[in-house]
Amino acid sequence: MDHATHNKIVSFIWSIADDCLRDVFVRGKYRDVILPMFVLRRIDCLLEETKEAVLAEVKFQKTEAKMAILDPDGLREASGQVFYNTSKFTLKGLLGNPSQLEANFNHYLDGFSDNVAEIIAKFDLRNQIRKMGEADALHGVIEKFVAPDINLSHHDAIGPDGRKLPGLTNLGMGYVFEELIRKFNEENNEEAGEHFTPREVIQLMVHLLFEPVKKKLPPVITIYDPACGSGGMLTEAQDFILDPEGSIRSKAAIYLYGKEVNPETYAICKSDMMIKGNNPENIRYGSTLATDEFSGLRFDFMLSNPPYGKSWKTDQGQILEKNGANTVIIDPRFEVRLPDASGEEQTVSAAPAVDDGQLLFLMEMVSKMKRLKDSPAGSRIATVHNGSALFTGNAGGGASNIRQYLIENDLLEAIIQLPNNIFYNTGITTYIWLLSNKKTPDRKAKVQLIDASQLYEKLRKNLGAKNCAFTDDHLSQITRAYLDLLDTGKQSVDGLKSQVFDNKEFGYWKVTVERPLRKSAQFTAERIAPLRFDKSLATEMEWIFSQWGAAVYQKDFLAGKKESVQRWLDHEQIELTGANLKKLLDPKLWLARRELLEIAEKLHQQLGAKTWNDCTLFTEDVKDALKKLKLKPGAPQLKTILDAVSWRDPDAECVRNGELRMENSETQNPNSKFTIQNSKFLPDSELRDTENIPLTYEGGIHAYFIREVLPHVPDAWIDDSKTVIGYEISFNKYFYVHQPLRDLAEVVKEIRDLEAETEGLLERILNFES
């Protein structure tokens, strides 16, 4: 189908909304009628020529075969499709009795096979029919869709003006779907994630997916999309393989599988599968993340454009589970085994931040890759993500763990950066990820990054936010760069850059650098006084004590002051939870704080106002004083007192803790423990820092620490128990080319030239105006 025919159909269908629905539905609801009616008319066209055969089969089964329940196999055979309609009506036939139109329409819908009935239900078409019937718009809408001016059948037809109307091919049906939904979404200002992937991006994905293995395709091919939308990627992949004029020209039997959570989009996809002769039962409805619909299947090829920047909170209950204080993964698709910093394997979470679930869809596909022991060709994946999938998430977190798993298991082949504004309603940067568990020898332990962000053709007219597109030449250029494993360095070749990296290039150790806690201490009345009040309620307790003094320690006293306290809280605009208000008025809290204050006062009397710059000796002196005073505060009480009368002091001695173990030999084997520890001192949480050390750093963690950290902070050490491995991929890091500042003399000369050029200009303007 040429673009002129395609555009004519889209314009005609778009006009139906304005002509028939303007006073019945708000503009944002036009799609709720137009899309299902478009699908229904296409199905109706496909069934028209076998209508009599189906009715004859119905009569045979009811009268001669005496069947109480009709046999769907016989009806499908009669219709020549995987669906059928047993009613006597067609859409054209409904127009013959306007007074019974709505009732007859519902009878017509009742005659459809179960697979079409599900589509009708997901579209909520019956409700739209009722609304159109009440507004006397139903007849006009049907009349428009069956008009001879438009041909939605797969056969050529002759229009009222005698001109040929080409039949709408299955591929053409996909184009019309795409354009209609794009227009409706743009009209409704829908989110970018709910749009079709541009056709040329899908074409690039299928080229990259199939070209490397086109001579080794199996006779039976399974293709899966876990966020299939209206099925564009699945059908484009099928068409690419079967295209008799394409580079593959395979005659393989192809089975398409998909899942979609949006009911309307699911309905479009399922109807598209039926119309194109694929098995509609392989398209499932629901959340891919919540339920593993195809748990028993593995696929040859997978491709998807999952929603990014979209929360998966509603699916959390099926993926995560509380186990005491910990949260554990309960779905094996999102659980992986990875080596820790010491090289020991452990099971870790592959669940990224809850506000962005795009990488979960990738792990869903990875979990369905064919095992090489069962299928030597393995599986290939192409998927689209935004930039956050490359680098967000801390080392040891779900997103980083996913990247680590993919790269360390040598699944990631390449990532291609696409131009901005190539999608319909977003200008964000997007990337195609390519994965395979059967890499060619030259790609082993390597990842190719291709920057195609400057490779595009500007559109004459923007389509929403989309202002550029790939041409066929661009698709060929990117595909060739991938197939040739091109490495241009940071230089551009015909607008494209490509580099090849070892897997380890993207990994790093995140190490925690500790420094010793240094504190001085002194008992003074000013430091002791705040112990009377709990830190979390200090303001409130201080006010109460100022009002009623020692009476607060009396039983039930504060209970009688609840209203007074509440009035003061309201006046000061202080909001307390019910639990905190109860705590504030509880005499047990007040008595516990008074006891703490009294202990501190006795220690002050015993030790005086001496200042200690060694907090370890200070603690020992306090404990000796407590023995002499025969006081036995609990550990939490003692810590509270010590914290109250001590402060951080960079000139003080380190607070000691246990025995020293210092491994600082530069000859230490970097593959042993990668640690430098100093456990003699307590760490200062305020001075704690982290360092990201590349896995490729010569000598590893130890060498980095000796060279880069100790010269600046000689008292530092690494807490190896907190060391984790992270992975991130930064296109800016690998492709950025520094542009030096221009020479100052050159800039000054340009300014002076401009001044000379504009000299007298203001005077001429003023003279002209006068």
Side-chain angles (χ1 to χ4, degrees):
M1 182 183 68
D2 58 37
H3 287 293
T5 304
H6 159 235
N7 290 336
K8 181 180 179 182
I9 292 175
V10 171
S11 297
F12 184 88
I13 294 173
W14 186 257
S15 71
I16 296 175
D18 279 333
D19 292 346
C20 302
L21 304 178
R22 180 173 296 176
D23 299 324
V24 182
F25 295 87
V26 296
R27 195 170 185 84
K29 296 294 184 180
Y30 286 177
R31 62 178 286 165
D32 296 348
V33 173
I34 297 302
L35 292 180
M37 285 298 299
F38 175 52
V39 170
L40 194 64
R41 175 53 179 156
R42 173 66 172 184
I43 291 173
D44 185 69
C45 288
L46 294 176
L47 295 178
E48 275 183 340
E49 60 189 51
T50 59
K51 186 68 176 178
E52 294 303 321
V54 171
L55 293 178
E57 176 66 18
V58 171
K59 182 178 180 181
F60 168 80
Q61 291 188 22
K62 285 184 175 180
T63 58
E64 296 187 31
K66 307 293 184 182
M67 299 175 67
I69 300 176
L70 296 177
D71 174 27
D73 291 335
L75 295 171
R76 279 192 290 266
E77 185 177 347
S79 73
Q81 306 287 346
V82 295
F83 50 90
Y84 55 83
N85 186 296
T86 60
S87 80
K88 65 180 180 180
F89 296 107
T90 63
L91 280 179
K92 286 182 181 178
L94 290 173
L95 298 176
N97 189 354
S99 63
Q100 295 294 314
L101 180 58
E102 187 176 344
N104 290 342
F105 200 161
N106 281 309
H107 181 70
Y108 168 68
L109 295 181
D110 290 339
F112 275 112
S113 52
D114 290 344
N115 45 17
V116 177
E118 184 190 17
I119 292 170
I120 292 168
K122 288 293 188 291
F123 272 129
D124 195 23
L125 182 57
R126 293 180 190 272
N127 188 38
Q128 311 308 331
I129 291 170
R130 179 182 57 78
K131 291 180 181 178
M132 287 188 287
E134 291 172 350
D136 293 327
L138 184 57
H139 189 279
V141 170
I142 297 174
E143 191 174 42
K144 286 280 187 179
F145 269 102
V146 301
D149 308 84
I150 195 73
N151 180 20
L152 297 183
S153 74
H154 55 300
H155 295 303
D156 292 346
I158 302 299
D161 57 0
R163 293 185 180 182
K164 175 184 173 182
L165 298 176
L168 183 63
T169 66
N170 289 337
L171 181 60
M173 183 77 178
Y175 280 121
V176 174
F177 263 144
E178 176 176 335
E179 184 65 9
L180 282 173
I181 291 180
R182 184 196 66 76
K183 287 171 74 72
F184 280 124
N185 283 353
E186 189 177 307
E187 190 80 14
N188 296 347
N189 196 26
E190 296 279 355
E191 291 296 321
E194 298 180 16
H195 280 264
F196 272 87
T197 309
R199 184 66 56 176
E200 74 272 19
V201 173
I202 301 177
Q203 289 173 343
L204 175 59
M205 292 171 72
V206 296
H207 273 281
L208 296 170
L209 202 59
F210 296 109
E211 287 285 0
V213 294
K214 62 183 179 182
K215 296 180 180 179
K216 302 176 183 178
L217 290 177
V220 177
I221 298 174
T222 54
I223 306 174
Y224 173 52
D225 183 349
C228 62
S230 59
M233 286 192 178
L234 292 171
T235 54
E236 188 70 27
Q238 182 182 43
D239 294 338
F240 184 77
I241 296 171
L242 300 179
D243 184 1
E245 299 179 1
S247 61
I248 295 181
R249 295 190 294 275
S250 173
K251 294 183 179 180
I254 300 175
Y255 296 90
L256 306 180
Y257 296 81
K259 194 170 183 183
E260 174 57 35
V261 71
N262 180 282
E264 180 190 82
T265 313
Y266 163 77
I268 294 173
C269 181
K270 193 157 185 174
S271 60
D272 194 35
M273 291 296 122
M274 288 193 303
I275 288 166
K276 295 178 180 179
N278 294 299
N279 185 359
E281 303 308 312
N282 290 342
I283 305 301
R284 306 290 173 83
Y285 174 70
S287 169
T288 297
L289 304 184
T291 56
D292 191 357
E293 197 77 38
F294 302 105
S295 60
L297 296 177
R298 292 176 181 265
F299 303 99
D300 299 296
F301 299 95
M302 289 167 271
L303 67 172
S304 189
N305 178 15
Y308 24 85
K310 187 174 181 181
S311 170
W312 52 280
K313 191 171 184 178
T314 55
D315 300 317
Q316 267 188 303
Q318 287 73 41
I319 297 173
L320 306 176
E321 186 178 79
K322 276 285 186 183
N323 184 6
N326 299 320
T327 300
V328 296
I329 296 284
I330 56 176
D331 190 323
R333 293 177 294 169
F334 312 120
E335 186 178 70
V336 296
R337 289 191 63 78
L338 290 174
D340 59 18
S342 66
E344 295 184 7
E345 272 207 352
Q346 57 181 335
T347 300
V348 299
S349 165
V354 74
D355 60 352
D356 190 357
Q358 59 182 304
L359 285 175
L360 291 177
F361 285 89
L362 178 54
M363 290 308 295
E364 151 74 4
M365 290 188 281
V366 169
S367 74
K368 288 177 172 43
M369 298 180 90
K370 288 191 170 181
R371 299 185 183 96
L372 294 180
K373 65 178 182 179
D374 302 323
S375 177
S379 300
R380 293 179 59 77
I381 295 172
T383 179
V384 181
H385 296 284
N386 68 0
S388 69
L390 297 172
F391 49 77
T392 57
N394 290 325
S400 178
N401 287 343
I402 290 172
R403 292 189 290 266
Q404 181 181 355
Y405 178 81
L406 298 178
I407 295 174
E408 290 190 353
N409 284 277
D410 208 17
L411 297 175
L412 184 60
E413 282 198 344
I415 299 179
I416 298 93
Q417 180 176 349
L418 305 179
N420 292 349
N421 298 103
I422 199 167
F423 278 76
Y424 292 118
N425 201 29
T426 179
I428 62 175
T429 307
T430 49
Y431 303 81
I432 295 175
W433 293 44
L434 286 172
L435 289 82
S436 170
N437 59 353
K438 182 67 174 180
K439 281 188 175 183
T440 55
D442 57 339
R443 289 188 179 272
K444 291 286 187 182
K446 297 183 184 299
V447 175
Q448 182 181 14
L449 302 184
I450 299 175
D451 181 1
S453 61
Q454 302 305 311
L455 204 65
Y456 55 82
E457 179 182 71
K458 280 286 186 181
L459 298 181
R460 291 182 179 179
K461 180 182 178 183
N462 287 9
L463 299 174
K466 182 178 174 65
N467 63 11
C468 63
F470 285 135
T471 65
D472 289 343
D473 288 341
H474 293 148
L475 299 183
S476 298
Q477 185 179 348
I478 297 170
T479 305
R480 180 48 50 195
Y482 165 70
L483 294 174
D484 293 346
L485 199 59
L486 182 67
D487 195 333
T488 68
K490 293 189 176 185
Q491 302 305 312
S492 173
V493 176
D494 297 328
L496 180 143
K497 301 176 185 177
S498 177
Q499 294 188 67
V500 181
F501 300 93
D502 291 335
N503 284 347
K504 276 196 170 184
E505 180 70 31
F506 307 106
Y508 62 92
W509 293 287
K510 182 180 180 181
V511 299
T512 300
V513 179
E514 301 282 14
R515 294 183 63 192
L517 180 64
R518 299 173 184 270
K519 296 181 81 174
S520 293
Q522 182 189 33
F523 277 97
T524 66
E526 292 76 18
R527 291 194 176 96
I528 292 172
L531 288 171
R532 187 186 299 276
F533 312 119
D534 187 285
K535 274 189 177 181
S536 64
L537 295 168
T539 302
E540 296 84 348
M541 291 182 76
E542 190 172 353
W543 178 82
I544 290 174
F545 192 78
S546 71
Q547 296 297 305
W548 297 293
V552 297
Y553 302 115
Q554 298 173 14
K555 185 180 180 181
D556 297 331
F557 176 82
L558 286 176
K561 302 298 182 183
K562 184 176 180 179
E563 291 185 5
S564 299
V565 172
Q566 188 63 60
R567 281 197 299 272
W568 177 80
L569 290 172
D570 293 342
H571 180 267
E572 297 297 319
Q573 296 183 338
I574 297 174
E575 293 186 9
L576 288 183
T577 63
N580 275 342
L581 181 58
K582 183 178 179 181
K583 180 181 176 182
L584 179 64
L585 302 177
D586 188 348
K588 292 180 181 178
L589 173 67
W590 287 88
L591 290 170
R593 299 307 300 192
R594 184 177 69 174
E595 180 184 359
L596 201 63
L597 178 62
E598 289 172 349
I599 293 172
E601 288 173 340
K602 290 175 182 179
L603 285 171
H604 185 195
Q605 292 173 2
Q606 181 72 22
L607 295 171
K610 176 185 174 181
T611 299
W612 285 261
N613 69 349
D614 187 330
C615 218
T616 304
L617 294 178
F618 169 67
T619 303
E620 293 173 0
D621 289 346
V622 169
K623 289 180 178 179
D624 289 341
L626 288 171
K627 287 181 182 179
K628 292 176 182 178
L629 294 168
K630 297 181 180 181
L631 298 174
K632 294 182 179 180
Q637 286 180 304
L638 180 58
K639 184 179 184 303
T640 302
I641 293 171
L642 295 178
D643 286 345
V645 297
S646 62
W647 63 94
R648 284 178 170 80
D649 182 354
D651 297 323
E653 296 295 326
C654 303
V655 180
R656 290 188 290 276
N657 178 39
E659 296 182 359
L660 171 67
R661 178 166 69 87
M662 187 73 173
E663 301 170 6
N664 58 4
S665 169
E666 289 203 41
T667 61
Q668 180 186 356
N669 180 0
N671 296 317
S672 57
K673 285 288 290 181
F674 301 94
T675 61
I676 298 173
Q677 282 195 334
N678 184 346
S679 57
K680 181 177 181 179
F681 304 121
L682 285 177
D684 187 341
S685 60
E686 291 188 3
L687 298 179
R688 182 174 293 140
D689 201 358
T690 58
E691 294 277 346
N692 289 349
I693 305 172
L695 295 183
T696 55
Y697 191 89
E698 185 179 353
I701 294 175
H702 177 78
Y704 180 93
F705 183 77
I706 294 294
R707 296 169 193 162
E708 307 292 341
V709 178
L710 283 182
H712 307 287
V713 279
D715 60 356
W717 72 92
I718 289 176
D719 183 349
D720 65 307
S721 68
K722 296 177 181 176
T723 297
V724 290
I725 292 176
Y727 273 78
E728 64 180 18
I729 303 168
S730 171
F731 269 69
N732 287 340
K733 173 183 175 181
Y734 299 118
F735 288 103
Y736 173 73
V737 178
H738 173 67
Q739 299 294 333
L741 295 175
R742 296 169 60 198
D743 184 73
L744 182 59
E746 181 184 348
V747 175
V748 171
K749 182 179 182 304
E750 280 192 15
I751 293 173
R752 287 176 175 169
D753 289 345
L754 286 171
E755 287 177 346
E757 185 179 331
T758 59
E759 188 175 356
L761 180 61
L762 181 60
E763 183 179 344
R764 290 198 298 275
I765 291 173
L766 292 175
N767 288 338
F768 175 79
E769 290 179 349
S770 61

